[in-house]
Amino acid sequence: MRPFTLERPHDIATAVAFGAADDDQTDYIAGGTDMMQLLTDDIRRPGRLVSLGDGVLDDRIEAAPDGALRLGAAARMSDVADHPAVREGFPLIAEALLSSASAQVRNMATVGGNLLQRTRCAYFRDPGVHGCNKRAPGTGCAARDGVNRMLAVLGGSEHCIATHASDFAVPLVALDAVVRLSGPGGERTIPVEELHRLPGDSPHVETVLVPGELITAIEVPASRAARTSHYLKVRDRESFEFALVSAAVALDTDGGRIREARVAMGGVGPKPWRMRGVERALAGAACDPAVLRAAAARAADGTAPRPGNAFKPELMRRTVLRALRVVGGQP
Amino acid sequence: MTSTAAASVVGQPVSRVDGPLKVAGGATYAAEFDPGPGLCHGAIVTSTVASGRIASIDTAAAEAAPGVVAVLTHRNAPVLPYHEHKGLTDPPEGERIHLLQDDRVRHQGQPVALAVAETLEEAVYAASLVRVSYRPESAVTAFSDAVAHAVPPGPRYRDRGLEGDGGRGDADAALGAAPVRIEAEYVMPRLNHNPIEPHGTVARWSEGELTLWDKTQWVDNVRAEMAAVFGLPPDRVRVVSPFVGGAFGSGLRPWANVTLAAMASRHVDRPVKVVLTRRQMFGITGYRPRSTHRVALGADRDGQLLAIRHEGVSETSTYETYAEEQLGSSEYLYACRDVATRYRVAPRNVQTPNDMRGPGKVTGVHALECAMDELAAALDMDPVELRLRNDTIVDQSTGVPFSSRSLRECYQAAGERFGWSRRNPRPGAMRDERGRLVGYGCASATWPAMRQAAEARARLLPDGSAVVSSSSSDMGPGTYTSMTQVAAETLGLPLERVRFELGDTRMPTAPVHGGSWTMASLGSAVQAACAEARRRALAEIGRADADLAAVLRQIGEPVEATVRTEPGDELRRYSAHSFGAVFAEVAVDPDLCTVRVPRLVGAYGVGRVVNPKTARSQITGGMVMGMGMALTERTEVDPRDARPVNSSLADYLVPVNADVGELDAVFVDEEDPHVNPLGVKGLGEIGTVGVAAAICNAVYHATGRRVRELPVTVERVLGAAVR
């Protein structure tokens, strides 16, 4: 671990200023459940580590009268998962959080940090591997022709096929959640779906955040569909493991007809992937087995698997279908 | 009578005598020892090529970093004698890597430098500043390429009784004539040791004497190896290892941390601690080798085995040959006249594999027992019935009878507890309340009952207590506890008046703590030493029937006996093995193809059970390991450069509690009068044997699909479904 200076600001402006001054030297740490790994594995080598743990970010969990959620970026995953407004109004969010990591990690990790965790691609995580464009731009991608079972089938490029590992982000994208940002240029709000960039030819740039910009809150709009929803995660072991594929599904039905469908998947791309083709096939249709099956068949549209993850498209269709059946009451 | 009460201690479910110490944090592990003032820390720099030469190595930045005491590389490391030394747990063929002695790199993760600094953080940082460039040389990186050049284990393995080719009769002809035949190939990936405690060593030199606090299953071998490496008389080396945080075989050989700590400590003239990182555990320690097995079975229509042909090949390194007995069980487990086995090793530019719990058997029995299930299906016969029909009381590989064998009783006991009779024989016919496909599978388990020479000392004190010691280890099975029980029973003292000590080369010499032979070997020595000490004490006052505690008070000074015991010819007159039967229930999601294991039930015939509580714990722990092998564990080695890809606990998936369902292990009553004085056959490893096969066979029963490559992942079940 490279020696670094730990800064412990008490307000957002100071925290932002550190990052804005020298983008390459500064990293932020909140819950630390990912950053500590990145530091000890020598993946990140900041000269300055800015702690967001001294009241810089709030950890409030608030539900508006209309049901909309506001999560302070420093709210702990476990607290959000346990909050009645989340459990009742947004079961898919609670389920995504509870299927993440371990109880110990969830007690430490913040929801803002969860969105900014780095990929679990094993080639990225091992500094002894030369070829990783995300860790060392221009060195190539060892994963593309390597062991890539866990990696992306959507949105990858010849330079990187890393997946975004967050479960929590998947329902957020399905529900059109936004993140509130505070940075050197002031405050702005962007959809979670637009937070992460596709790798293209610069996979080391993972988000649209500018240096010094921080996520201060996550806002989830009120959603009738979210009340009947499910997060389904397929993984190799029952706990403490990332998704092979996962699906967040929310359906608003009225008299057997689907008024609105929201579907997103995790474990398949460099960012949570909204399944708009599936949603279109469901919107306005009857909630019956044939419709669900036809819609789920669209889940793998546009996938470009590698030999190591060639099973994912079929597993994606099956996973979405199962989640639709659970939510649609058609088991 | 005290002696009567104490005599019942063996066979009782005594709680671990070291348990309170461990849960209270009072047990001191290798890296926690305080060697006195001046301790510094070493961080290892490892290679990033599979084969080649170090072209350049730049340590300037590392040497200039804060707190750095020294940076050792092949250019400045002391030249060490590295005398030949091959302990029982070292591969007899080839030669170990001589650390930092030349510029040659033979595998990914090989130590190429050691940064020594005042603090761990400073050492790790300095290590990250060492710049190494390599001149890569041609390397065998893919297992498939290595298999193409596989060879027999070699003459020195033959001397140890491990042949490349074995069997009896004419298996090919018998197969050709058999009315029912199956043949299949099974693939088992590399499995890495992942004990909780990583390997670590604290080294201190004092007036030419080397003291090592090390994590090991064999302090005497660490002493012998370090004496050979440094050219010292063994009595100038002391190795201390009272507690081991899990090892499963990883502690059978001293790894680079031991030599580097000792080397650096002498170089900087201060105590040095070197602990492997979790990632380094995948590049420096050994592992269960990747293997491919092909099994052909022939039988008559009643299920009598007519032929077994079993071929296996497993990976080894280019500088040492690691071979294990993977196919022996196919020669003795069942009655069969014509058997052919063929075992080869495939050299690859990787570090040398080493024993992992149930080495050889876990691999070979998996293939054989999956094949037996395929044969049962081909015969349309109950898989348990097929095994029982081929039961035998004679080891047909040697022609001598088994010292005891309760395979049939094990199948009966475990089958009843499991509810095997509820099994609908048709695959895919059973479902649980959640709609998941349910499958029942079974497999046999076996592990040889072996025994080594062992020495123990019993020291009886005037206060009526006793201290018994030997240089053994307790990596988790409960050696402290079981030896205390044997000692207390033999002495006729209450359990709490007896203390057993282990893990120090200053103690009488124990055999390596492995092979499931500690109870048979050391237990016999402890029994003999205690009996002799008791005899001496009673002889002093000339009364054979007196209360020992009272006698000791009367004598007023310690009475001591050190006794060495060794096996006789009993293992030539009898074939001695533990046997077991394990049953698995799986639940398979018919759409998502995830496999869960709600239940594992095993019954074992292991001779006498000294402590049913720790024994059961051994078996259930072994079952969980078998579950990992079946469903989640594998070291992914990149075929392009032979580097382990998933070298972390986030990516190498050992089962977590949520994966583990109901575990049930029982021991059938078995009295073995032949195997050793205690009548114990060993149970440390057999719990892992057969578990993966039982699970695979249950997956077949649930789905009608054979998954012949481990682990049984979603896509392998799915792939079979899509086809």
Side-chain angles (χ1 to χ4, degrees):
Chain A
M1 188 184 301
R2 174 173 159 169
F4 56 80
T5 306
L6 178 67
E7 300 287 355
R8 305 185 65 171
H10 294 278
D11 59 83
I12 290 181
T14 314
V16 166
F18 280 122
D22 185 355
D23 58 310
D24 219 25
Q25 284 289 307
T26 298
D27 271 333
Y28 292 97
I29 184 166
T33 56
D34 190 30
M35 183 53 71
M36 290 302 291
Q37 294 180 60
L38 295 166
L39 294 172
T40 53
D41 284 344
D42 210 24
I43 305 300
R44 292 298 303 169
R45 299 176 163 189
R48 178 192 290 128
L49 194 63
V50 180
S51 169
L52 303 175
D54 296 284
V56 174
L57 301 172
D58 79 78
D59 61 359
R60 292 194 303 277
I61 303 166
E62 296 160 320
D66 70 347
L69 275 183
R70 181 198 174 278
L71 311 173
R76 306 286 156 170
M77 291 172 72
S78 49
D79 291 336
V80 176
D82 288 345
H83 197 279
V86 178
R87 288 210 314 259
E88 287 154 27
F90 301 88
L92 75 177
I93 292 178
E95 290 168 6
L97 286 165
L98 290 175
S99 69
S100 302
S102 67
Q104 293 88 341
V105 171
R106 296 194 295 270
N107 286 341
M108 284 299 293
T110 64
V111 290
N114 179 280
L115 297 182
L116 298 178
Q117 66 182 294
R118 308 298 301 275
T119 182
R120 301 306 309 187
C121 175
Y123 295 101
F124 170 79
R125 295 272 168 173
D126 178 2
V129 170
H130 174 71
C132 178
N133 290 321
K134 192 182 278 296
R135 177 164 36 80
T139 55
C141 173
R144 217 179 130 70
D145 295 315
V147 177
N148 47 33
R149 175 172 181 265
M150 299 292 286
L151 302 182
V153 292
L154 286 165
S157 74
E158 61 180 301
H159 304 287
C160 183
I161 54 169
T163 37
H164 192 256
S166 169
D167 292 297
F168 171 61
V170 180
L172 295 186
V173 163
L175 298 172
D176 288 319
V178 298
V179 280
R180 290 221 176 260
L181 306 177
S182 192
E187 301 198 348
R188 59 178 178 143
T189 300
I190 60 167
V192 174
E193 194 176 6
E194 290 169 20
L195 174 63
H196 299 98
R197 291 163 36 111
L198 295 184
D201 58 5
S202 55
H204 60 291
V205 185
E206 293 187 340
T207 69
V208 299
L209 299 184
V210 300
E213 202 167 28
L214 300 172
I215 297 174
T216 57
I218 298 164
E219 293 176 359
V220 190
S223 165
R224 193 163 24 202
R227 299 191 78 86
T228 45
S229 64
H230 182 42
Y231 184 75
L232 176 59
K233 181 176 182 178
V234 181
R235 48 181 162 175
D236 287 323
R237 68 181 172 192
E238 198 73 346
S239 177
F240 212 174
E241 169 58 348
F242 298 93
L244 279 169
V245 309
S246 66
V249 167
L251 295 179
D252 177 19
T253 54
D254 180 18
R257 189 153 294 276
I258 299 168
R259 207 156 29 199
E260 184 188 36
R262 291 172 172 275
V263 181
M265 296 200 78
V268 296
K271 56 195 271 183
W273 211 266
R274 186 80 176 261
M275 295 281 144
R276 291 205 162 76
V278 179
E279 292 178 355
R280 274 195 299 272
L282 293 166
C287 187
D288 66 40
V291 166
L292 299 188
R293 190 174 304 110
R298 305 286 310 276
D301 287 359
T303 50
R306 306 296 299 165
N309 58 20
F311 65 94
K312 279 197 176 182
E314 176 62 21
L315 189 59
M316 289 165 72
R317 287 186 283 264
R318 289 167 177 242
T319 304
V320 167
L321 179 57
R322 169 66 61 79
L324 285 172
R325 282 175 167 166
V326 169
V327 177
Q330 308 273 351
Chain B
M1 288 274 297
T2 311
S3 57
T4 312
S8 64
V9 164
V10 164
Q12 293 305 307
V14 175
S15 292
R16 289 173 191 270
V17 296
D18 51 335
L21 205 56
K22 282 183 172 173
V23 296
T28 308
Y29 291 83
E32 299 174 329
F33 276 92
D34 178 4
L39 175 67
C40 36
H41 301 259
I44 303 173
V45 181
T46 58
S47 67
T48 54
V49 297
S51 174
R53 303 273 181 169
I54 296 168
S56 68
I57 187 160
D58 180 359
T59 57
E63 282 161 0
V68 171
V69 180
V71 180
L72 289 170
T73 71
H74 69 281
R75 294 181 318 193
N76 66 339
V79 176
L80 299 176
Y82 263 103
H83 295 315
E84 170 149 348
H85 168 249
K86 290 187 194 302
L88 185 62
T89 51
D90 298 315
E93 302 276 355
E95 177 59 23
R96 63 219 197 274
I97 286 177
H98 296 187
L99 290 157
L100 307 187
Q101 300 295 294
D102 60 30
D103 63 353
R104 183 174 285 279
V105 174
R106 297 165 189 275
H107 67 85
Q108 294 267 8
Q110 178 184 322
V112 294
L114 182 78
V116 184
E118 299 290 342
T119 68
L120 174 63
E121 290 76 11
E122 288 166 339
V124 170
Y125 177 52
S128 77
L129 296 176
V130 175
R131 291 284 163 264
V132 191
S133 68
Y134 302 94
R135 264 197 316 279
E137 294 174 355
S138 71
V140 180
T141 54
F143 180 63
S144 54
D145 292 338
V147 166
H149 301 98
V151 294
R156 292 189 182 186
Y157 272 105
R158 197 177 311 132
D159 294 344
R160 286 189 184 183
L162 180 54
E163 303 270 0
D165 299 274
R168 55 187 175 267
D170 187 342
D172 284 344
L175 268 175
V180 181
R181 286 189 298 271
I182 65 100
E183 182 165 357
E185 186 171 280
Y186 305 94
V187 176
M188 289 145 282
R190 179 189 297 186
L191 301 176
N192 260 90
H193 283 293
N194 270 304
I196 290 175
E197 182 196 20
H199 284 273
T201 309
V202 177
R204 184 187 68 198
W205 292 83
S206 176
E207 294 168 9
E209 282 200 30
L210 173 62
T211 303
L212 296 159
W213 292 269
D214 184 38
K215 168 183 174 154
T216 176
Q217 294 168 239
W218 197 8
V219 289
D220 294 295
N221 189 55
V222 175
R223 174 173 63 178
E225 170 70 0
M226 288 306 110
V229 169
F230 288 90
L232 296 167
D235 63 5
R236 307 291 282 172
V237 182
R238 181 184 178 196
V239 182
V240 180
S241 182
F243 294 102
V244 172
F248 313 103
S250 70
L252 292 173
R253 297 184 79 184
W255 306 114
N257 48 292
V258 187
T259 311
L260 292 176
M263 180 196 293
S265 174
R266 199 168 74 172
H267 189 75
V268 304
D269 198 21
R270 293 168 60 175
V272 172
K273 180 194 298 194
V274 177
V275 180
L276 301 187
T277 64
R278 185 58 62 174
R279 195 179 296 288
Q280 288 169 349
M281 291 285 291
F282 286 80
I284 289 177
T285 69
Y287 51 87
R288 193 191 303 284
R290 181 180 184 84
S291 64
T292 302
H293 281 216
R294 177 163 282 278
V295 184
L297 301 177
D300 68 19
R301 298 203 184 279
D302 295 328
Q304 188 66 53
L305 277 170
L306 299 176
I308 299 173
R309 193 175 65 215
H310 191 160
E311 299 169 350
V313 57
S314 59
E315 65 183 326
T316 182
S317 68
T318 55
Y319 55 93
E320 288 174 318
T321 300
Y322 173 79
E324 53 187 30
E325 207 200 78
Q326 297 188 348
L327 309 184
S329 45
S330 291
E331 297 180 23
Y332 72 77
L333 187 49
Y334 299 115
C336 182
R337 201 185 58 191
D338 296 288
V339 179
T341 59
R342 186 173 192 269
Y343 174 62
R344 296 292 182 265
V345 286
R348 184 183 188 189
N349 284 88
V350 294
Q351 82 271 25
T352 308
N354 92 310
D355 288 348
M356 178 187 279
R357 201 177 203 169
K361 292 284 180 288
V362 160
T363 303
V365 169
H366 175 73
L368 177 65
E369 288 300 289
C370 286
M372 285 294 280
D373 200 69
E374 302 212 29
L375 180 63
L379 288 159
D380 197 20
M381 176 180 280
D382 182 278
V384 171
E385 178 58 28
L386 175 65
R387 268 94 175 177
L388 297 184
R389 199 157 291 189
N390 291 284
D391 195 16
T392 172
I393 57 165
V394 172
D395 176 346
Q396 295 189 344
S397 71
T398 56
V400 301
F402 291 109
S403 62
S404 58
R405 170 165 162 134
S406 306
L407 186 67
R408 180 174 297 272
E409 291 77 8
C410 290
Y411 269 106
Q412 279 159 355
E416 269 175 36
R417 293 177 79 91
F418 183 82
W420 181 255
S421 60
R422 293 198 303 269
R423 179 181 188 260
N424 181 330
R426 193 163 57 82
M430 293 166 64
R431 297 248 178 177
D432 69 6
E433 70 285 352
R434 290 165 54 186
R436 295 180 301 180
L437 294 159
V438 171
Y440 288 1
C442 68
S444 300
T446 175
W447 183 256
M450 298 177 279
R451 185 182 168 196
Q452 304 284 324
E455 190 179 37
R457 175 164 51 236
R459 186 173 163 83
L460 313 183
L461 303 176
D463 66 358
S465 71
V467 179
V468 183
S469 61
S470 183
S471 67
S472 189
S473 170
D474 186 351
M475 64 173 148
T479 310
Y480 276 112
T481 311
S482 56
M483 295 303 158
T484 305
Q485 289 175 262
V486 170
E489 170 172 301
T490 311
L491 291 168
L493 291 176
L495 203 62
E496 58 277 8
R497 300 296 284 159
V498 179
R499 193 169 82 244
F500 184 73
E501 296 179 335
L502 55 73
D504 192 328
T505 47
R506 289 185 175 172
M507 297 172 181
T509 305
V512 54
H513 181 50
S516 298
W517 61 45
T518 294
M519 199 66 238
S521 311
L522 184 57
S524 299
V526 165
Q527 187 184 43
C530 290
E532 175 60 15
R534 178 182 164 87
R535 191 195 60 77
R536 285 181 192 173
L538 297 180
E540 283 214 22
I541 59 154
R543 278 186 55 195
D545 62 340
D547 175 71
L548 182 64
V551 169
L552 292 171
R553 276 190 291 274
Q554 188 182 333
I555 294 171
E557 56 187 50
V559 178
E560 195 176 286
T562 302
V563 176
R564 183 176 189 274
T565 56
E566 53 187 56
D569 69 347
E570 59 272 5
L571 295 184
R572 280 190 293 278
R573 291 183 287 122
Y574 294 96
S575 178
H577 302 264
S578 292
F579 292 95
V582 58
F583 290 75
E585 176 183 331
V586 300
V588 183
D589 187 301
D591 302 316
L592 306 178
C593 297
T594 47
V595 178
R596 303 298 179 219
V597 182
R599 282 194 305 148
L600 287 170
V601 178
Y604 301 86
V606 297
R608 190 183 194 190
V609 175
V610 171
N611 184 331
K613 192 173 194 174
T614 53
R616 183 186 178 280
S617 170
Q618 275 293 284
I619 297 290
T620 54
M623 284 176 164
V624 173
M625 217 162 166
M627 244 185 78
M629 172 183 170
L631 298 182
T632 57
E633 292 188 45
R634 61 171 151 183
T635 307
E636 303 258 28
V637 180
D638 196 312
R640 298 167 300 180
D641 63 5
R643 188 173 180 84
V645 177
N646 55 335
S647 50
S648 79
L649 282 178
D651 299 304
Y652 183 97
L653 303 183
V654 298
V656 295
N657 271 323
D659 294 304
V660 181
E662 187 186 319
L663 303 176
D664 184 16
V666 294
F667 301 98
V668 300
D669 286 334
E670 190 179 72
E671 200 173 313
D672 190 325
H674 309 298
V675 67
N676 52 54
L678 282 168
V680 299
K681 293 203 294 188
L683 51 84
E685 294 167 272
I686 194 171
T688 302
V689 182
V691 173
I695 290 171
C696 284
N697 297 340
V699 169
Y700 166 75
H701 179 237
T703 64
R705 301 161 207 155
R706 294 282 177 195
V707 178
R708 299 187 179 90
E709 179 167 0
L710 295 180
V712 182
T713 53
V714 164
E715 67 266 35
R716 287 181 177 145
V717 179
L718 181 67
V722 170
R723 272 198 300 276

